[in-house]
Amino acid sequence: MAVELIERMAADLGIIAYHEESETEFARRVSYSAMSNWAKTIALDKAVGSGEENLIGVSRRHMYERSRAVLDMLCAVIPGLKEWYKVEEGEEHPAQLIRTRLLNHGDLVNVGFDTNLALSERYAETLTNHAETAYGVILDEGIQYNGIATVRLREINWASVAPQKAVDWMTGFVKDAWWSSSISNSSRWQYYNPRSKVKNHYSAWQDAVPDMVNGIVMARTVVNVTGYEYYLLKPAERLIHRLDPFLKERGEYLRLMYALRACCENPVEARLTRYSDHYVLGLSARLPVQEKNLLESYCWPLKHVTDNLNWLMNEYIWDYLNPLVNALGIRIMEEING
């Protein structure tokens, strides 16, 4: 029954099993995409007796409760899913996680003073010369689910634009930033050392001030249990710039870290494993929100639904993501497996 259910869902979603992929691994990918399909379907629900003909969308609670019921059913009948979707108490439930990713992707939109969720209007955006993203689509001819996203393969006469490199972004940011000569107590500050040989960003923070890179040093200070404020310093000129909260929320402080490491010819590395019919990207550090949202949209988490470092994807998706990852200054270490 479980195998037949997965095969039926996969056929509807346009998902094909990878060569040598186990039944459990295939079931995880299919169920993950199916949950995004269900969430979009639930967004079209109409409350019985609501009395409001023009009411659009559903409440977040309604979507969560219906999505959770579907996921519970899938985990009950398909072996190997329960552990993959299991989260600790207090963590975001997978149904909420997928809902958030659909919102970030744009397939779900906020309506009704941002109190309800609705399915996006139908439109398409080009990814590459061979693929486009179809928004507002649940199931349709020629649609292939990639992660939570619906993609249509077709030949498109389109000239891509190279994404801005993190180093160039940092150069412009430093030039345009407002700098202050008022430096507060820095006794509890930590400093980012872009010359550190550690694999991730977190371990590169230290108490001692490192050598400047292009005349600047990056610093942070604790503001609460889990949060920091980030600064750029010009030590030679005794100037400081505090990173705007919005840029912090967008993870642009991470873009600065990638840029600083690239300037030191000490880039963060990622491993790309090429299989005969798909790729696996293994990251060693977090990405800015823009790039993170793209992975969460077009790829499948590998080890667990909350895994944000290891992603499975089809080749044409990597063709789209590759320039964006390279623009961060990440060094891709490739290996071939099959």
Side-chain angles (χ1 to χ4, degrees):
M1 174 183 174
V3 173
E4 293 177 356
L5 176 60
I6 287 296
E7 289 179 348
R8 288 201 305 269
M9 289 194 298
D12 289 340
L13 300 169
I15 301 175
I16 300 174
Y18 294 139
H19 182 60
E20 295 185 353
E21 185 175 32
S22 70
E23 289 182 359
T24 297
E25 291 167 337
F26 185 49
R28 291 168 180 170
R29 286 200 299 125
V30 172
S31 64
Y32 181 77
S33 295
M35 287 305 302
S36 71
N37 176 280
W38 269 102
K40 292 190 291 183
T41 302
I42 293 166
L44 299 177
D45 284 354
K46 182 71 174 179
V48 177
S50 65
E52 298 184 48
E53 293 299 325
N54 296 323
L55 184 65
I56 300 175
V58 298
S59 70
R60 282 169 166 75
R61 173 173 286 277
H62 176 83
M63 180 170 290
Y64 167 65
E65 290 178 347
R66 285 210 58 198
S67 295
R68 180 166 186 163
V70 173
L71 182 57
D72 287 345
M73 181 274 293
L74 292 177
C75 289
V77 300
I78 301 174
L81 290 190
K82 188 173 182 180
E83 285 301 314
W84 196 76
Y85 283 105
K86 184 179 180 180
V87 293
E88 299 296 328
E89 185 177 350
E91 291 183 332
E92 189 176 29
H93 189 274
Q96 296 170 312
L97 180 70
I98 291 171
R99 180 187 71 190
T100 298
R101 290 176 176 177
L102 284 166
L103 273 165
N104 291 336
H105 176 59
D107 252 336
L108 292 180
V109 295
N110 290 303
V111 293
F113 301 102
D114 290 348
T115 57
N116 282 9
L117 301 174
L119 185 64
S120 165
E121 294 184 358
R122 285 196 171 209
Y123 67 99
E125 287 187 352
T126 300
L127 293 179
T128 69
N129 288 329
H130 310 291
E132 66 181 12
T133 304
Y135 291 91
V137 174
I138 298 175
L139 294 174
D140 202 357
E141 184 178 355
I143 286 296
Q144 297 181 3
Y145 270 77
N146 286 263
I148 64 165
T150 45
V151 176
R152 182 181 288 110
L153 299 183
R154 69 185 189 92
E155 296 303 310
I156 305 168
N157 185 14
W158 174 72
S160 62
V161 178
Q164 185 181 37
K165 294 183 178 180
V167 172
D168 295 335
W169 179 87
M170 181 181 71
T171 300
F173 181 82
V174 170
K175 180 181 178 181
D176 296 336
W178 184 83
W179 296 88
S180 170
S181 59
S182 177
I183 300 180
S184 59
N185 179 15
S186 60
S187 60
R188 301 183 64 181
W189 283 9
Q190 289 184 314
Y191 303 89
Y192 186 71
N193 182 2
R195 296 178 177 84
S196 173
K197 295 302 181 181
V198 296
K199 293 183 177 181
N200 56 44
H201 294 308
Y202 177 81
S203 302
W205 290 96
Q206 60 186 41
D207 295 330
V209 181
D211 292 336
M212 294 183 294
V213 177
N214 295 352
I216 62 172
V217 170
M218 189 172 184
R220 72 179 184 183
T221 184
V222 177
V223 292
N224 54 47
V225 177
T226 59
Y228 297 91
E229 281 188 344
Y230 293 90
Y231 301 88
L232 289 180
L233 310 175
K234 289 184 176 180
E237 303 171 55
R238 297 188 59 79
L239 295 175
I240 184 172
H241 171 79
R242 183 174 72 90
L243 203 65
D244 182 87
F246 174 75
L247 292 179
K248 174 189 167 184
E249 182 181 341
R250 297 294 300 170
E252 294 303 285
Y253 63 94
L254 294 167
R255 196 177 307 278
L256 288 169
M257 294 180 199
Y258 280 109
L260 289 168
R261 289 190 64 147
C263 287
C264 296
E265 298 184 355
N266 181 38
V268 174
E269 293 183 353
R271 184 165 299 279
L272 182 74
T273 305
R274 294 175 177 262
Y275 293 86
S276 61
D277 52 3
H278 71 286
Y279 293 176
V280 174
L281 178 66
L283 301 170
S284 57
R286 294 164 54 205
L287 301 180
V289 170
Q290 177 184 344
E291 290 79 3
K292 176 182 74 74
N293 285 349
L294 292 174
L295 287 175
E296 291 178 349
S297 293
Y298 294 103
C299 308
W300 291 279
L302 177 61
K303 298 180 179 179
H304 188 269
V305 68
T306 60
D307 185 2
N308 57 14
L309 294 178
N310 302 281
W311 299 93
L312 294 92
M313 68 195 77
N314 288 315
E315 181 178 3
Y316 56 85
I317 294 299
W318 177 244
D319 289 343
Y320 167 62
L321 294 175
N322 186 17
L324 298 161
V325 174
N326 277 315
L328 285 174
I330 296 174
R331 177 184 292 155
I332 304 296
M333 312 297 290
E334 293 192 20
E335 63 180 39
I336 298 176
N337 190 330

